Amino acid sequence: MADPPPYPDAGDGTDLELGCGSITGAPRWVKVLGIIAAVLVLLIVIMVLTELLTGQGPARHMFGGLGGQTPPSSGALFSGVGGHMPLAGGHAP
Amino acid sequence: MTMTPRLRKLALTAHVVSSVGWLGAVAASLALAVAGLISQDAPMVRASYIAMNAIGEVVLVPLALASLVTGLVQALGTTWGLLRHYWILIKLLINVFATIVLLLYMQILGYLAGLAAQTASPGADLGVLRNGSPVAHAGAALLLLLVATTLSVYKPRGMTRYGQRKPQPQPAR
């Protein structure tokens, strides 16, 4: 295996001291991070689906969870908060 | 195209300041979110949601965008490149994802802040306002930004296939 090339900016007085490492496939830390991210995304999807299907669940984070209230369709409600207006026509995602 | 060392340090400083500032502002938002969720003091609960919205508009969004832009400049203006190293690529994905979620979530924060202002009357039901969503979002954002910061410091080894194919440009003198 060829020696890993030095980091591109090494030696110019900055904090770059590690080599580039493996040249065959993704390193183990990338795979581990990817698996953790995939599991978290899966959990979030399950939470959101649970909320959508049952109307309850740990992800009931918006308007269904606010006492059944719906977001305003105009900016009137937001006039007391620095004139903040909803980003997309006044409707929540 | 690579930047001169002096310009590169300036860009690096801007990137570190905006990214770490973003991390700190998220931590402050998390503290406010927890206070808004568990505090028994009604004015405290209302103020938490209003302050979260203000921090979001004035600090979080500008710093998130600044972190993204300065990160792109830093990657493309040096021999690191944007897609050559896994740690840079993952930081880019984290930054883009967190910024998009933040921009979308600002709408919800604005709604909660408006609701907090509306429920200022005595006897208003704070249960309508209390919400675990800001805690979850701020906590997740904090975790992501901590991962990004750790990657920046450790710069773990590993080049992408693109990085292996592309010849490494010579660093600027």
Side-chain angles (χ1 to χ4, degrees), chain A residues 33-88:
Chain A
L33 213 57
I35 291 170
I36 292 172
V39 169
L40 289 177
V41 167
L42 194 63
L43 282 175
I44 292 170
V45 168
I46 290 172
M47 285 165 61
V48 171
L49 286 178
T50 303
E51 177 186 358
L52 288 177
L53 293 176
T54 66
Q56 293 183 343
R60 49 189 297 243
H61 62 274
M62 260 337 294
F63 305 105
L66 292 174
Q69 295 194 9
T70 54
S73 56
S74 75
L77 177 62
F78 298 88
S79 58
V81 199
H84 175 84
M85 294 290 287
L87 295 176

Side-chain angles (χ1 to χ4, degrees), chain B residues 71-113:
Chain B
L72 288 172
V73 168
Q74 190 67 16
L76 296 174
T78 66
T79 48
W80 283 104
L82 190 59
L83 307 173
R84 293 169 53 82
H85 300 268
Y86 276 112
W87 71 270
I88 296 175
L89 179 62
I90 291 172
K91 273 193 69 188
L92 173 67
L93 293 177
I94 287 174
N95 202 320
V96 168
F97 176 75
T99 302
I100 289 173
V101 171
L102 171 65
L103 291 175
L104 293 174
Y105 198 66
M106 282 311 300
Q107 190 177 354
I108 294 170
L109 272 184
Y111 173 72
L112 290 172

Side-chain angles (χ1 to χ4, degrees), chain B residues 14-136:
Chain B
H15 183 57
V16 171
V17 167
S18 55
S19 301
V20 177
W22 183 14
L23 180 69
V26 168
S29 297
L30 179 59
L32 288 171
V34 171
L37 186 64
I38 66 175
S39 175
Q40 301 301 314
D41 184 30
M44 174 68 157
V45 173
R46 287 194 298 271
S48 297
Y49 286 98
I50 293 171
M52 262 190 288
N53 185 52
I55 288 178
E57 288 181 342
V58 179
V59 183
L60 286 178
V61 170
L63 284 180
L65 295 175
S67 173
L68 182 58
V69 171
T70 56
L72 288 172
V73 168
Q74 190 67 16
L76 296 174
T78 66
T79 48
W80 283 104
L82 190 59
L83 307 173
R84 293 169 53 82
H85 300 268
Y86 276 112
W87 71 270
I88 296 175
L89 179 62
I90 291 172
K91 273 193 69 188
L92 173 67
L93 293 177
I94 287 174
N95 202 320
V96 168
F97 176 75
T99 302
I100 289 173
V101 171
L102 171 65
L103 291 175
L104 293 174
Y105 198 66
M106 282 311 300
Q107 190 177 354
I108 294 170
L109 272 184
Y111 173 72
L112 290 172
L115 206 59
Q118 271 198 339
T119 55
S121 58
D125 182 15
L126 285 178
V128 170
L129 187 59
R130 285 186 201 279
N131 198 299
S133 168
V135 174

